[in-house]
Amino acid sequence: MAPSAVPVEQSSAVAHKQLCTTDKESSKELTPLQAISQGVCLPGIPLFSNYDKQRAWILSHMAGAFRIFARKGFTEGMSGHISVRDPEHPHTFWTNPLAKHFATLKASDMILVDYDGKAVGGNTSRPANAAGFLIHSAVHKARPDVHAACHCHGKAGKAWSAFGRKLEMINQDVTYFYGDAQAVYNEFGGVVLSEEEGQRLAAALGPKGKGLILRNHGLLTVGSTVDEAAYLYTLMERSCEVQLMVEAAAANGIPKLYVDDKSAEFTFRMSSDPEALYWEFQPDLEYERDMCCGAFEN
């Protein structure tokens, strides 16, 4: 039976990976999540007793991410997509239906496609975005560690992409994209409608990339969960906005001060692991759940 996008009972988390320790004699270095938790540590990413429960949880978070993107103004016509690898069938991924507003999406709206672009599960009443399929399938093929990818045409991301430059290390938050975690795709040939273009884009992201600036196009972020990828997208879009503000001030003669490499590397290392980035997204997700009474989970 093909996987369904209709969620099942969400009281499905049978365990949480506990990253915190109460052993004061432990000599192990604190994880980033332990380090940021003063007192009882936040729990880890949920574990599930079967794939159906895990899939339902993933799709609800995916739909919530779309609603958050809408609330933050990342919509642009039919553009923009999120993909999430299926937990049971890793050579397939879930994505959003074409021409449906992010603010209305629910878990049951998502479409499951394989690497050939064939819809094999979920809600097939609408097509997926062809350009989105080529971008996301190439990224998922090239990076087995990537379970989710986000791409939108946000205003600040499009504006900064016109420079074809990486974001600079000008504040603490942008250091989440320090070093190889950030890349630029410096080609633009119009809408991505060829497999080769998708492959070049995935190659530009590289083996360690978390965020990619697509010249004259927009932004793409990836993660081990949809929560991580979505948080990094919101962060990268905001970082582009801040960079543009700083550039405007610098043009008037105000010098920029940069975060030094040692401090940037330390902040990246202590902030950018999957558990910490998963939790960075939860405040927005909880807010969205309250605002829409959990409508995206259905």
Side-chain angles (χ1 to χ4, degrees), residues 119-255:
V120 294
N123 189 340
T124 57
S125 62
R126 288 199 189 192
N129 185 309
F133 164 74
L134 290 168
I135 292 171
H136 290 258
S137 61
V139 170
H140 285 293
K141 287 178 184 178
R143 291 277 300 275
D145 61 308
V146 167
H147 289 268
C150 301
H151 168 63
C152 293
H153 294 181
K155 290 187 292 185
K158 284 191 291 187
W160 181 249
S161 77
F163 294 102
R165 292 170 49 197
K166 286 185 177 184
L167 291 162
E168 297 176 332
M169 299 296 106
I170 51 177
N171 59 67
Q172 175 176 299
D173 296 326
V174 77
T175 62
Y176 286 38
F177 298 107
Y178 176 72
D180 292 338
Q182 181 188 187
V184 176
Y185 181 58
N186 246 320
E187 300 179 45
F188 180 75
V191 178
V192 179
L193 292 176
S194 73
E195 186 175 353
E196 292 76 20
E197 180 81 354
Q199 291 170 348
R200 288 193 294 269
L201 190 151
L205 179 64
K208 297 180 180 179
K210 290 176 175 283
L212 181 67
I213 297 169
L214 287 65
R215 200 199 78 197
N216 303 115
H217 189 166
L219 308 176
L220 180 140
T221 58
V222 301
S224 60
T225 62
V226 67
D227 307 73
E228 176 181 351
Y231 173 71
L232 288 173
Y233 187 89
T234 65
L235 177 61
M236 199 170 205
E237 183 74 28
R238 177 65 62 83
S239 295
C240 288
E241 181 182 4
V242 172
Q243 179 86 52
L244 291 164
M245 295 168 66
V246 171
E247 293 297 324
N252 288 320
I254 304 174

Side-chain angles (χ1 to χ4, degrees), residues 11-227:
S11 59
S12 52
V14 295
H16 284 76
K17 288 186 284 183
Q18 297 294 331
L19 292 186
C20 39
T21 178
T22 57
D23 183 6
K24 295 182 180 179
E25 296 179 358
S26 175
S27 60
K28 293 182 179 179
E29 184 179 350
L30 293 177
T31 67
L33 198 60
Q34 290 171 340
I36 198 66
S37 299
Q38 183 67 34
V40 176
C41 184
L42 289 169
I45 299 168
L47 300 174
F48 296 87
S49 59
N50 60 56
Y51 288 124
D52 286 341
K53 293 175 181 179
Q54 184 180 6
R55 183 178 296 115
W57 180 82
I58 288 171
L59 291 176
S60 70
H61 282 230
M62 180 182 181
F66 277 115
R67 300 242 180 169
I68 290 164
F69 282 9
R71 196 177 292 278
K72 291 180 180 290
F74 301 158
T75 58
E76 190 70 58
M78 295 191 294
S79 300
H81 10 84
I82 296 175
S83 65
V84 184
R85 198 186 296 273
D86 186 79
E88 184 177 8
H89 308 287
H91 297 298
T92 64
F93 60 88
W94 294 90
T95 191
N96 50 304
L98 186 64
K100 190 169 177 62
H101 198 281
F102 290 0
T104 68
L105 285 172
K106 304 185 296 293
S108 56
D109 288 319
M110 305 307 169
I111 308 165
L112 183 66
V113 296
D114 63 18
Y115 280 171
D116 294 323
K118 181 181 178 182
V120 294
N123 189 340
T124 57
S125 62
R126 288 199 189 192
N129 185 309
F133 164 74
L134 290 168
I135 292 171
H136 290 258
S137 61
V139 170
H140 285 293
K141 287 178 184 178
R143 291 277 300 275
D145 61 308
V146 167
H147 289 268
C150 301
H151 168 63
C152 293
H153 294 181
K155 290 187 292 185
K158 284 191 291 187
W160 181 249
S161 77
F163 294 102
R165 292 170 49 197
K166 286 185 177 184
L167 291 162
E168 297 176 332
M169 299 296 106
I170 51 177
N171 59 67
Q172 175 176 299
D173 296 326
V174 77
T175 62
Y176 286 38
F177 298 107
Y178 176 72
D180 292 338
Q182 181 188 187
V184 176
Y185 181 58
N186 246 320
E187 300 179 45
F188 180 75
V191 178
V192 179
L193 292 176
S194 73
E195 186 175 353
E196 292 76 20
E197 180 81 354
Q199 291 170 348
R200 288 193 294 269
L201 190 151
L205 179 64
K208 297 180 180 179
K210 290 176 175 283
L212 181 67
I213 297 169
L214 287 65
R215 200 199 78 197
N216 303 115
H217 189 166
L219 308 176
L220 180 140
T221 58
V222 301
S224 60
T225 62
V226 67
D227 307 73

